[in-house]
Amino acid sequence: MEIQIEYQYQEAYLPSKRHRKPRLRDASGVMTVEVPEIAKASAPIAFLVHEISKDKPTDFRLWNGQLWKPVLWRERRARAEGLYPVAALIKDIQCRMPYFSALVKNPIGKDPVEQAKRQYAERHVIIDGIVYEQTKEPQYVVMTFGLGHNHGGTSMFVEQEYNPNICKDRYFNALEREQAVELAKNIAISRGDTNDLSRIETTCNIEVLIPEAVHCNPQKEHGDGDPFLNKLYAVTKGSSSTIEAALLAMAILNKDINAN
């Protein structure tokens, strides 16, 4: 699909030959961007991500060596539901500056405007009339909340990005679900999050349809997480109650504050 765009920008100019300091004026331009339209047969499903919070699994499709997932309308508009319409994608490319840095909110010259619009268009494809966006490989992450002993809890999620605050040992690729479940259960037991044990296995699942699409390796790609949060995790893991965990957490916080 080719989309013709009229856009505005600011250009620098000299009012006369005597002027040395450029002035700015509004200008406009026309450009064409392309969003590929392809059939589902050309983009096979690599992963089906099942999450307890969603009625239907999310399909991750493989096309042009990249993974793509459908865009939800609420990801682009507050309080909107359903899939992101093709018409809205076209309008956003034409009229908006999605993902444009605040540092260049009013860019000088047409090049940065055109570049931003092309990059936004390139992050999308239309597969059988549905807008998909480029995404990363889904993987499991085990997360803890609160002080343990069913305050907060232990759970397992599917994410496409690494959180710098969470240790690499909490991440597992799509083929390592058993290891992720085992770790989540062991952590829940060690923290006393007994209410979570029965639902850890059912909270999410990455169904792998193309095993060759699994590439991520958290142990090589990610880091050791935030040192302070790692200390808090060790406290909640080893405490006998929420009260003890809270007191130990405050002691660690006080020590870190005094050290700085």
Side-chain angles (χ1 to χ4, degrees):
M1 174 186 290
E2 289 190 348
I3 306 170
Q4 190 175 59
I5 299 169
E6 293 184 9
Y7 61 92
Q8 287 71 45
Y9 64 97
Q10 287 189 310
E11 66 176 2
Y13 75 102
L14 295 173
S16 71
K17 294 181 179 179
R18 295 177 300 171
H19 288 79
R20 294 292 179 266
K21 184 177 180 181
R23 308 287 178 84
L24 297 178
R25 64 186 174 193
D26 293 332
S28 62
V30 177
M31 64 179 294
T32 300
V33 299
E34 183 175 356
V35 178
E37 292 182 277
I38 58 178
K40 286 183 178 179
S42 300
I45 298 175
F47 306 99
L48 280 175
V49 176
H50 304 262
E51 297 178 86
I52 198 169
S53 60
K54 297 180 180 179
D55 296 333
K56 296 180 180 180
T58 302
D59 54 313
F60 285 63
R61 293 180 176 271
L62 189 62
W63 178 75
N64 200 27
Q66 300 288 339
L67 287 173
W68 307 81
K69 71 173 183 177
V71 182
L72 297 180
W73 194 208
R74 66 171 178 266
E75 296 172 350
R76 305 295 165 88
R77 296 289 189 279
R79 297 184 296 276
E81 296 296 333
L83 295 172
Y84 184 50
V86 174
L89 171 66
I90 295 172
K91 184 177 180 180
D92 280 348
I93 295 173
Q94 288 176 331
C95 305
R96 297 168 62 87
M97 296 292 287
Y99 299 113
F100 211 63
S101 170
L103 296 176
V104 286
K105 188 174 182 180
N106 297 305
I108 308 301
K110 65 181 182 180
D111 289 346
V113 177
E114 291 189 353
Q115 182 182 11
K117 291 182 178 293
R118 284 200 181 93
Q119 287 177 345
Y120 187 68
E122 289 169 357
R123 283 194 282 270
H124 298 83
V125 296
I126 299 172
I127 303 176
D128 278 9
I130 298 175
V131 179
Y132 282 70
E133 65 180 341
Q134 189 173 333
T135 186
K136 294 183 180 180
E137 191 176 318
Q139 56 187 313
Y140 299 103
V141 58
V142 178
M143 299 178 67
T144 56
F145 307 90
L147 297 170
H149 308 281
N150 297 315
H151 173 273
T154 302
S155 192
M156 188 169 72
F157 300 92
V158 174
E159 299 287 349
Q160 288 89 61
E161 300 282 351
Y162 290 116
N163 185 328
N165 294 321
I166 300 176
C167 177
K168 60 188 177 185
D169 296 333
R170 297 284 193 93
Y171 285 91
F172 299 85
N173 70 36
L175 295 174
E176 298 174 329
R177 188 174 189 276
E178 290 185 7
Q179 296 94 309
V181 169
E182 181 181 5
L183 178 68
K185 286 185 173 181
N186 289 339
I187 289 176
I189 292 171
S190 68
R191 282 170 44 93
D193 289 331
T194 54
N195 293 343
D196 297 321
L197 285 172
S198 60
R199 58 174 174 257
I200 283 175
E201 282 201 61
T202 60
T203 186
C204 60
N205 178 42
I206 306 173
E207 186 179 351
V208 181
L209 302 181
I210 303 179
E212 295 79 13
V214 178
H215 300 290
C216 72
N217 185 341
Q219 294 299 315
K220 290 184 178 180
E221 298 167 354
H222 196 39
D224 294 326
D226 182 81
F228 178 73
L229 293 180
N230 290 340
K231 293 177 186 177
L232 292 183
Y233 162 64
V235 164
T236 58
K237 182 179 178 180
S239 64
S240 59
S241 67
T242 54
I243 295 176
E244 181 184 351
L247 292 172
L248 290 171
M250 286 189 289
I252 291 174
L253 178 60
N254 184 62
K255 183 178 179 180
D256 275 35
I257 291 174
N258 290 334
N260 295 325

